[in-house]
Amino acid sequence: MLHRLDGDQNWPLKLVQQVWLFGSFSRGAVEPHDVDVAIQFERDERMTEAVVQSLFSGRGNPYAPLRRALAGASRGLQFQFDDSAREQLEAEGTLMLPLWQRGNTLAQALAVLHGIAEDPHAARAERHDMIEAFEGLDRYIPRQVRAELIEWKQQGFITISRIELPDAPRDTDLLTDPGMRWTFRRWQDDSPLRRAALAGLTYLKGLGADLDDVDLAGQRLPTPRRRAGHLSDPRWWINWKWQGYSGIPYCVTGGDGWLEFVQPTRTRPLNALAIQRGPNAAAFPRR
């Protein structure tokens, strides 16, 4: 990565301003699971357009061009591109080791890298606000979200279970009704969000849920009954990226559950958290 930064000033590498190491590798772990890297970069017009297009299409990581330029095909590097997330990690006490900044020579950066003393006792830092359901997914669940979910769970307002959902069958009847097909035009055919939406609806149908009562990423489904005038409050919510998560206890108290997809992808397993009514849900303070 350092050689790429030193030798290539084309877009998007020319946007990179500073690089930090953090995590067990920066503390000298001999066999780290991966290398955690924080990146500060300029957001020029081209990068802004790429991010916006990615968010609207729901296709993968909005910073994928920058990641590819920095890491190539390597899966051993884990990047943090958001300044606010890096600042939050620092506020929580995470040590950020400055590795490179624009103007440094390759020799300077390598000296920092090689100056990390090996420590066979350096392990992954203690992770805060963790439960079993978050294992392996915690980097995609903001700490504040984890803390609130755990608090609600401990108070008995909600239950949390982790599930891995299979893809919807290719011949799913969710796509046979013209009105329902229109729902999925929100996303391109290969969008991970479309994949998650279909898998989530298939899962809820298997539970016996009525699709008339499902809220899919902020929108009700145009089922035949709803198009005919049937009105009902949602009982299930399918969501991702933690949008509106603060309303989870209110939703599950009066409904059946909230299905949160954690980092949907085009090909890798679809992990979701099924959040449902807890034994003390009735005691949750209403707004």
Side-chain angles (χ1 to χ4, degrees):
M1 182 187 70
L2 291 174
H3 279 276
R4 290 187 177 98
L5 285 168
D6 183 67
D8 188 340
Q9 295 304 309
N10 294 323
W11 191 92
L13 288 182
K14 68 178 183 180
L15 302 179
V16 178
Q17 299 300 306
Q18 192 162 359
V19 177
W20 295 264
L21 292 176
F22 65 101
S24 61
F25 180 82
S26 68
R27 298 191 302 274
V30 179
E31 296 183 356
H33 177 68
D34 50 34
V35 179
D36 293 302
V37 184
I39 304 291
Q40 184 182 58
F41 65 96
E42 290 182 354
R43 287 162 168 77
D44 66 354
E45 183 176 351
R46 184 176 175 183
M47 177 59 73
T48 300
E49 289 179 357
V51 171
V52 170
Q53 289 177 359
S54 176
L55 292 175
F56 272 101
S57 67
R59 299 183 65 181
N61 182 355
Y63 304 117
L66 186 53
R67 191 202 185 288
R68 284 194 298 270
L70 287 164
S74 172
R75 294 184 179 272
L77 295 173
Q78 296 293 334
F79 290 99
Q80 180 57 259
F81 290 111
D82 292 325
D83 292 339
S84 60
R86 185 191 74 248
E87 292 164 359
Q88 178 64 32
L89 287 170
E90 290 178 307
E92 295 170 0
T94 300
L95 176 64
M96 292 285 173
L97 176 65
L99 176 64
W100 177 92
Q101 64 180 4
R102 187 151 297 283
N104 284 167
T105 65
L106 177 61
Q108 288 175 307
L110 290 175
V112 174
L113 183 65
H114 297 154
I116 299 174
E118 288 188 4
D119 181 358
H121 303 294
R124 185 173 183 177
E126 178 185 359
R127 291 171 296 167
H128 301 280
D129 301 309
M130 283 292 297
I131 57 176
E132 184 178 355
F134 299 160
E135 286 291 340
L137 304 177
D138 49 300
R139 69 169 61 245
Y140 306 116
I141 310 174
R143 183 176 175 184
Q144 179 62 30
V145 176
R146 299 201 308 267
E148 292 192 57
L149 290 174
I150 291 173
E151 181 180 358
W152 296 332
K153 180 178 183 294
Q154 290 174 339
Q155 295 178 356
F157 300 144
I158 64 173
T159 64
I160 306 173
S161 58
R162 175 174 169 174
I163 54 178
E164 183 178 311
L165 295 182
D167 286 306
R170 290 183 176 275
D171 60 350
T172 174
D173 57 5
L174 290 169
L175 298 175
T176 58
D177 179 85
M180 291 291 285
R181 280 203 306 269
W182 180 86
T183 297
F184 298 100
R185 292 179 184 173
R186 296 165 63 180
W187 308 288
Q188 297 184 16
D189 287 350
D190 63 346
S191 166
L193 302 187
R194 184 179 188 273
R195 180 188 179 213
L198 287 167
L201 290 173
T202 300
Y203 173 75
L204 293 187
K205 286 182 64 179
L207 295 181
D210 192 333
L211 297 188
D212 298 331
D213 303 331
V214 175
D215 181 295
L216 175 62
Q219 294 185 16
R220 299 298 294 276
L221 295 172
T223 59
R225 287 186 68 205
R226 288 188 61 79
R227 295 201 303 273
H230 171 73
L231 299 178
S232 64
D233 292 328
R235 298 196 61 82
W236 274 100
W237 289 259
I238 297 176
N239 200 27
W240 39 73
K241 300 181 181 178
W242 299 105
Q243 296 179 10
Y245 82 92
S246 60
I248 288 176
Y250 304 98
C251 293
V252 302
T253 295
D256 294 322
W258 180 292
L259 194 63
E260 179 74 28
F261 282 90
V262 183
Q263 195 69 9
T265 72
R266 288 196 293 270
T267 58
R268 285 179 290 176
L270 285 170
N271 291 297
L273 297 176
I275 304 171
Q276 295 181 269
R277 181 186 180 94
N280 300 327
F284 188 80
R286 309 301 295 175
R287 286 170 174 164

